[in-house]
Amino acid sequence: MLKLEKVSSAYGASQVLWDVDLDITQGEAVALLGRNGVGKTTLLKTIMGVQSVKSGFISYDNVVISKHAAHRRAQYGLAYVPQGRGIFPQLTVEENLLMGVAALNGRDGISEKTIPDYVFELFPVLKEMLKRKGGNLSGGQQQQLAIGRALVTRPKILLLDEPTEGIQPSIVMQIEEALKHVSKELGVAILLVEQYLDFAWSFADRYFVMQRGRIIDHGATAEKDKDEVGRFLSV
Ligand SMILES: Nc1ncnc2c1ncn2[C@@H]1O[C@H](COP(=O)(O)OP(=O)(O)OP(=O)(O)O)[C@@H](O)[C@H]1O
Ligand SMILES: [Mg+2]
Protein backbone atom coordinates (compact mmCIF):
# COMPACT_ATOMS: atom_id res chain seq x y z
CA MET A 1 0.00 0.00 0.00
CA LEU A 2 2.64 2.55 1.13
CA LYS A 3 6.14 2.07 -0.15
CA LEU A 4 9.38 4.01 0.35
CA GLU A 5 12.30 3.34 -1.96
CA LYS A 6 15.72 4.77 -1.19
CA VAL A 7 14.23 7.86 0.40
CA SER A 8 16.68 10.54 1.49
CA SER A 9 15.84 13.80 3.17
CA ALA A 10 17.80 16.80 4.45
CA TYR A 11 17.40 20.02 6.44
CA GLY A 12 19.43 22.39 4.26
CA ALA A 13 22.89 20.93 3.94
CA SER A 14 22.47 18.40 6.72
CA GLN A 15 21.19 15.08 5.48
CA VAL A 16 19.07 13.18 7.99
CA LEU A 17 17.59 10.23 6.07
CA TRP A 18 19.71 7.95 3.91
CA ASP A 19 18.22 5.50 1.40
CA VAL A 20 15.28 4.42 3.53
CA ASP A 21 13.31 1.44 2.23
CA LEU A 22 10.08 0.74 4.07
CA ASP A 23 6.65 -0.63 3.21
CA ILE A 24 3.29 -1.03 4.89
CA THR A 25 0.46 -3.17 3.63
CA GLN A 26 -3.23 -2.74 4.33
CA GLY A 27 -4.27 -3.18 7.95
CA GLU A 28 -0.75 -3.85 9.12
CA ALA A 29 0.79 -2.51 12.34
CA VAL A 30 4.42 -1.51 11.90
CA ALA A 31 6.77 -0.08 14.54
CA LEU A 32 9.61 2.28 13.71
CA LEU A 33 12.16 2.15 16.50
CA GLY A 34 15.34 4.06 17.20
CA ARG A 35 17.15 6.22 19.70
CA ASN A 36 16.70 9.97 20.09
CA GLY A 37 17.64 12.04 17.08
CA VAL A 38 18.08 9.23 14.54
CA GLY A 39 15.46 10.65 12.16
CA LYS A 40 12.16 8.94 13.08
CA THR A 41 10.12 12.13 13.15
CA THR A 42 11.78 13.31 9.96
CA LEU A 43 10.73 10.08 8.29
CA LEU A 44 7.08 10.53 9.29
CA LYS A 45 7.14 14.15 8.12
CA THR A 46 8.64 13.05 4.83
CA ILE A 47 5.91 10.42 4.35
CA MET A 48 3.24 13.00 5.15
CA GLY A 49 4.80 15.62 2.88
CA VAL A 50 5.60 18.31 5.42
CA GLN A 51 9.29 17.63 4.79
CA SER A 52 10.49 17.19 1.23
CA VAL A 53 12.17 14.18 -0.33
CA LYS A 54 15.72 14.79 -1.52
CA SER A 55 15.94 11.61 -3.55
CA GLY A 56 14.07 8.33 -3.81
CA PHE A 57 10.35 7.63 -4.13
CA ILE A 58 7.29 7.33 -1.95
CA SER A 59 4.34 5.57 -3.53
CA TYR A 60 0.83 4.84 -2.40
CA ASP A 61 -1.14 2.12 -4.19
CA ASN A 62 1.55 2.25 -6.90
CA VAL A 63 1.13 6.00 -7.49
CA VAL A 64 4.27 8.04 -6.78
CA ILE A 65 3.27 10.70 -4.24
CA SER A 66 6.70 12.04 -3.25
CA LYS A 67 5.96 15.39 -4.88
CA HIS A 68 2.37 15.69 -3.73
CA ALA A 69 1.42 18.27 -1.10
CA ALA A 70 0.48 17.13 2.40
CA HIS A 71 -3.23 17.90 1.97
CA ARG A 72 -3.32 15.70 -1.12
CA ARG A 73 -1.68 12.87 0.75
CA ALA A 74 -4.30 13.33 3.48
CA GLN A 75 -6.96 12.82 0.84
CA TYR A 76 -5.43 9.50 -0.12
CA GLY A 77 -6.01 8.46 3.47
CA LEU A 78 -2.76 9.31 5.24
CA ALA A 79 -3.18 10.84 8.70
CA TYR A 80 -0.41 12.09 10.93
CA VAL A 81 -0.43 12.54 14.71
CA PRO A 82 2.70 14.59 15.40
CA GLN A 83 5.04 14.20 18.32
CA GLY A 84 3.81 16.59 20.99
CA ARG A 85 0.30 16.03 19.60
CA GLY A 86 -0.50 19.23 17.69
CA ILE A 87 -4.03 19.84 18.92
CA PHE A 88 -5.52 23.34 19.02
CA PRO A 89 -5.28 24.37 22.70
CA GLN A 90 -7.72 27.28 22.41
CA LEU A 91 -10.42 25.20 20.76
CA THR A 92 -12.71 22.87 22.67
CA VAL A 93 -12.46 19.11 22.34
CA GLU A 94 -15.56 19.21 20.15
CA GLU A 95 -14.11 21.92 17.89
CA ASN A 96 -10.82 20.03 17.59
CA LEU A 97 -12.71 16.93 16.46
CA LEU A 98 -14.82 18.98 14.05
CA MET A 99 -11.58 20.16 12.41
CA GLY A 100 -11.06 16.51 11.51
CA VAL A 101 -14.60 16.29 10.15
CA ALA A 102 -13.91 19.38 8.03
CA ALA A 103 -10.76 17.78 6.64
CA LEU A 104 -12.74 14.69 5.66
CA ASN A 105 -15.37 16.54 3.68
CA GLY A 106 -14.88 16.61 -0.02
CA ARG A 107 -12.90 13.37 -0.03
CA ASP A 108 -14.46 10.65 -2.17
CA GLY A 109 -17.65 12.72 -2.27
CA ILE A 110 -18.06 12.43 1.50
CA SER A 111 -20.21 15.01 3.21
CA GLU A 112 -20.31 14.67 6.97
CA LYS A 113 -21.14 17.16 9.68
CA THR A 114 -20.96 15.25 12.91
CA ILE A 115 -18.26 13.48 14.86
CA PRO A 116 -18.61 9.71 14.36
CA ASP A 117 -19.50 7.69 17.48
CA TYR A 118 -16.58 5.29 17.18
CA VAL A 119 -14.27 8.08 18.35
CA PHE A 120 -16.18 8.25 21.65
CA GLU A 121 -16.36 4.49 21.91
CA LEU A 122 -12.56 4.38 21.66
CA PHE A 123 -11.98 7.34 23.94
CA PRO A 124 -15.00 7.89 26.23
CA VAL A 125 -13.19 10.68 28.05
CA LEU A 126 -13.51 12.86 24.94
CA LYS A 127 -17.28 12.72 25.20
CA GLU A 128 -17.16 13.76 28.85
CA MET A 129 -14.89 16.69 28.00
CA LEU A 130 -16.48 17.91 24.75
CA LYS A 131 -16.81 21.52 25.89
CA ARG A 132 -13.44 21.76 27.56
CA LYS A 133 -10.54 23.54 25.84
CA GLY A 134 -7.91 21.24 24.39
CA GLY A 135 -5.18 23.06 26.27
CA ASN A 136 -6.85 22.24 29.58
CA LEU A 137 -6.74 18.48 29.11
CA SER A 138 -4.04 16.33 30.65
CA GLY A 139 -1.21 15.19 28.40
CA GLY A 140 -2.76 11.75 28.00
CA GLN A 141 -6.17 13.19 27.18
CA GLN A 142 -4.60 15.51 24.60
CA GLN A 143 -2.97 12.50 23.02
CA GLN A 144 -6.33 10.73 22.87
CA LEU A 145 -7.83 13.86 21.32
CA ALA A 146 -5.07 14.01 18.71
CA ILE A 147 -5.59 10.36 17.78
CA GLY A 148 -9.36 10.84 17.80
CA ARG A 149 -9.09 13.80 15.48
CA ALA A 150 -6.91 11.82 13.07
CA LEU A 151 -9.41 8.93 13.13
CA VAL A 152 -12.30 11.23 12.27
CA THR A 153 -10.67 11.66 8.85
CA ARG A 154 -11.16 7.90 8.26
CA PRO A 155 -7.50 7.25 7.47
CA LYS A 156 -6.22 4.19 5.69
CA ILE A 157 -2.79 4.71 7.22
CA LEU A 158 -2.21 6.36 10.57
CA LEU A 159 1.26 7.74 11.28
CA LEU A 160 1.83 8.08 15.03
CA ASP A 161 4.85 9.77 16.55
CA GLU A 162 5.53 8.53 20.10
CA PRO A 163 1.95 8.53 21.38
CA THR A 164 3.01 7.29 24.83
CA GLU A 165 5.76 9.84 25.43
CA GLY A 166 5.41 11.46 28.85
CA ILE A 167 2.02 9.90 29.56
CA GLN A 168 0.94 8.16 32.77
CA PRO A 169 0.79 4.34 32.59
CA SER A 170 -2.99 3.97 33.00
CA ILE A 171 -3.60 6.17 29.95
CA VAL A 172 -0.83 4.44 28.02
CA MET A 173 -2.84 1.23 28.45
CA GLN A 174 -6.04 2.87 27.17
CA ILE A 175 -4.22 4.24 24.14
CA GLU A 176 -2.67 0.84 23.53
CA GLU A 177 -6.09 -0.87 23.62
CA ALA A 178 -7.59 1.75 21.33
CA LEU A 179 -4.80 1.44 18.79
CA LYS A 180 -5.08 -2.34 18.78
CA HIS A 181 -8.78 -1.97 18.08
CA VAL A 182 -8.15 0.56 15.30
CA SER A 183 -5.62 -1.76 13.74
CA LYS A 184 -7.31 -5.14 14.16
CA GLU A 185 -11.02 -4.26 14.03
CA LEU A 186 -11.12 -1.15 11.85
CA GLY A 187 -8.32 -2.41 9.60
CA VAL A 188 -6.39 0.86 9.59
CA ALA A 189 -2.68 0.43 8.87
CA ILE A 190 -0.51 2.03 11.54
CA LEU A 191 3.09 3.19 11.45
CA LEU A 192 4.05 3.74 15.06
CA VAL A 193 7.21 5.55 16.13
CA GLU A 194 7.96 4.41 19.62
CA GLN A 195 10.75 4.25 22.14
CA TYR A 196 8.72 2.18 24.60
CA LEU A 197 9.73 -1.22 23.26
CA ASP A 198 7.22 -3.36 25.20
CA PHE A 199 4.31 -1.43 23.78
CA ALA A 200 5.71 -1.46 20.25
CA TRP A 201 6.37 -5.18 20.45
CA SER A 202 2.96 -6.17 21.76
CA PHE A 203 1.34 -4.06 19.09
CA ALA A 204 3.31 -4.39 15.87
CA ASP A 205 3.33 -7.16 13.26
CA ARG A 206 6.63 -5.88 11.88
CA TYR A 207 9.40 -3.58 13.03
CA PHE A 208 12.06 -1.35 11.50
CA VAL A 209 15.07 -0.10 13.44
CA MET A 210 16.65 3.21 12.48
CA GLN A 211 20.16 4.33 13.31
CA ARG A 212 21.65 7.62 12.11
CA GLY A 213 19.04 8.00 9.41
CA ARG A 214 19.32 4.49 8.01
CA ILE A 215 17.23 1.37 8.48
CA ILE A 216 19.62 -1.15 10.01
CA ASP A 217 17.23 -3.98 10.79
CA HIS A 218 13.65 -5.00 10.04
CA GLY A 219 11.44 -8.04 10.14
CA ALA A 220 8.44 -9.72 11.79
CA THR A 221 8.17 -9.15 15.55
CA ALA A 222 7.05 -12.78 16.00
CA GLU A 223 10.31 -14.01 14.52
CA LYS A 224 12.70 -11.74 16.38
CA ASP A 225 13.98 -11.68 19.92
CA LYS A 226 12.74 -8.45 21.49
CA ASP A 227 15.82 -8.05 23.67
CA GLU A 228 18.05 -8.16 20.64
CA VAL A 229 16.20 -5.17 19.21
CA GLY A 230 16.30 -3.55 22.67
CA ARG A 231 20.07 -3.48 22.46
CA PHE A 232 19.82 -1.19 19.43
CA LEU A 233 17.76 1.23 21.50
CA SER A 234 19.56 1.37 24.84
CA VAL A 235 22.41 3.79 25.22
N1 LIG B 1 13.81 21.52 11.49
C1 LIG B 1 15.04 21.01 11.58
N2 LIG B 1 16.11 21.65 11.09
C2 LIG B 1 17.36 21.15 11.18
N3 LIG B 1 17.65 19.95 11.73
C3 LIG B 1 16.63 19.24 12.25
C4 LIG B 1 15.27 19.73 12.20
N4 LIG B 1 14.47 18.80 12.78
C5 LIG B 1 15.30 17.80 13.16
N5 LIG B 1 16.58 18.05 12.84
C6 LIG B 1 17.74 17.17 13.10
O1 LIG B 1 17.53 15.97 12.38
C7 LIG B 1 17.94 14.84 13.14
C8 LIG B 1 16.78 13.87 13.28
O2 LIG B 1 15.76 14.48 14.04
P1 LIG B 1 14.36 13.77 14.27
O3 LIG B 1 13.51 14.72 15.02
O4 LIG B 1 13.85 13.28 12.99
O5 LIG B 1 14.78 12.55 15.19
P2 LIG B 1 13.89 11.55 16.07
O6 LIG B 1 14.43 10.20 15.81
O7 LIG B 1 12.47 11.80 15.85
O8 LIG B 1 14.29 11.99 17.56
P3 LIG B 1 13.43 11.88 18.93
O9 LIG B 1 13.48 10.46 19.33
O10 LIG B 1 14.18 12.76 19.88
O11 LIG B 1 12.05 12.39 18.66
C9 LIG B 1 18.45 15.39 14.47
O12 LIG B 1 19.86 15.49 14.38
C10 LIG B 1 17.83 16.76 14.55
O13 LIG B 1 18.63 17.65 15.29
MG1 LIG C 1 10.94 12.38 17.07
Side-chain angles (χ1 to χ4, degrees), residues 200-226:
W201 218 253
S202 75
F203 173 72
D205 306 307
R206 286 192 303 134
Y207 72 94
F208 288 81
V209 180
M210 186 170 254
Q211 214 169 64
R212 289 193 218 100
R214 296 174 195 274
I215 300 296
I216 56 152
D217 189 26
H218 67 98
T221 50
E223 291 162 14
K224 180 82 175 184
D225 179 14
K226 183 177 81 177

Side-chain angles (χ1 to χ4, degrees), residues 35-42 83 161-162 165 193 195:
R35 288 177 195 160
N36 285 124
V38 296
K40 305 179 299 296
T41 296
T42 303
Q83 191 167 15
D161 201 348
E162 301 203 37
E165 192 182 25
V193 167
Q195 296 206 35

Side-chain angles (χ1 to χ4, degrees), residues 33 194-202 226-227 229-230 233:
L33 305 162
E194 190 51 74
Q195 296 206 35
Y196 177 28
L197 183 60
D198 287 336
F199 170 39
W201 218 253
S202 75
K226 183 177 81 177
D227 296 335
V229 170
L233 307 178

Side-chain angles (χ1 to χ4, degrees), residues 51-235:
Q51 165 69 15
S52 59
V53 167
K54 181 171 184 263
S55 59
F57 299 96
I58 302 173
S59 55
Y60 182 78
D61 281 349
N62 298 316
V63 177
V64 175
I65 61 164
S66 333
K67 301 261 186 260
H68 293 185
H71 67 87
R72 237 179 118 188
R73 299 187 203 197
Q75 290 188 336
Y76 291 126
L78 260 66
Y80 172 45
V81 180
Q83 191 167 15
R85 314 184 248 284
I87 58 152
F88 299 101
Q90 294 303 328
L91 300 186
T92 64
V93 166
E94 186 172 29
E95 288 162 344
N96 267 280
L97 292 169
L98 286 169
M99 296 293 279
V101 176
L104 173 68
N105 278 301
R107 196 176 104 202
D108 309 327
I110 292 171
S111 151
E112 199 164 275
K113 292 186 179 54
T114 54
I115 301 157
D117 276 340
Y118 62 78
V119 172
F120 301 121
E121 284 159 21
L122 284 170
F123 300 121
V125 70
L126 298 180
K127 185 144 207 168
E128 291 160 32
M129 304 207 163
L130 267 183
K131 303 294 175 197
R132 194 175 297 190
K133 281 193 176 155
N136 295 337
L137 302 184
S138 75
Q141 291 162 349
Q142 288 186 25
Q143 184 67 61
Q144 294 176 78
L145 175 56
I147 297 171
R149 190 181 61 189
L151 288 173
V152 165
T153 69
R154 292 195 204 154
K156 299 195 173 87
I157 303 183
L158 189 57
L159 310 171
L160 290 167
D161 201 348
E162 301 203 37
T164 65
E165 192 182 25
I167 289 173
Q168 64 184 82
S170 64
I171 297 189
V172 168
M173 278 174 62
Q174 286 175 28
I175 291 175
E176 200 173 318
E177 286 311 309
L179 291 180
K180 281 181 178 159
H181 180 85
V182 168
S183 165
K184 304 296 171 222
E185 311 299 326
L186 305 181
V188 176
I190 295 182
L191 178 59
L192 171 76
V193 167
E194 190 51 74
Q195 296 206 35
Y196 177 28
L197 183 60
D198 287 336
F199 170 39
W201 218 253
S202 75
F203 173 72
D205 306 307
R206 286 192 303 134
Y207 72 94
F208 288 81
V209 180
M210 186 170 254
Q211 214 169 64
R212 289 193 218 100
R214 296 174 195 274
I215 300 296
I216 56 152
D217 189 26
H218 67 98
T221 50
E223 291 162 14
K224 180 82 175 184
D225 179 14
K226 183 177 81 177
D227 296 335
E228 214 179 300
V229 170
R231 280 196 282 279
F232 291 129
L233 307 178
S234 53
V235 270

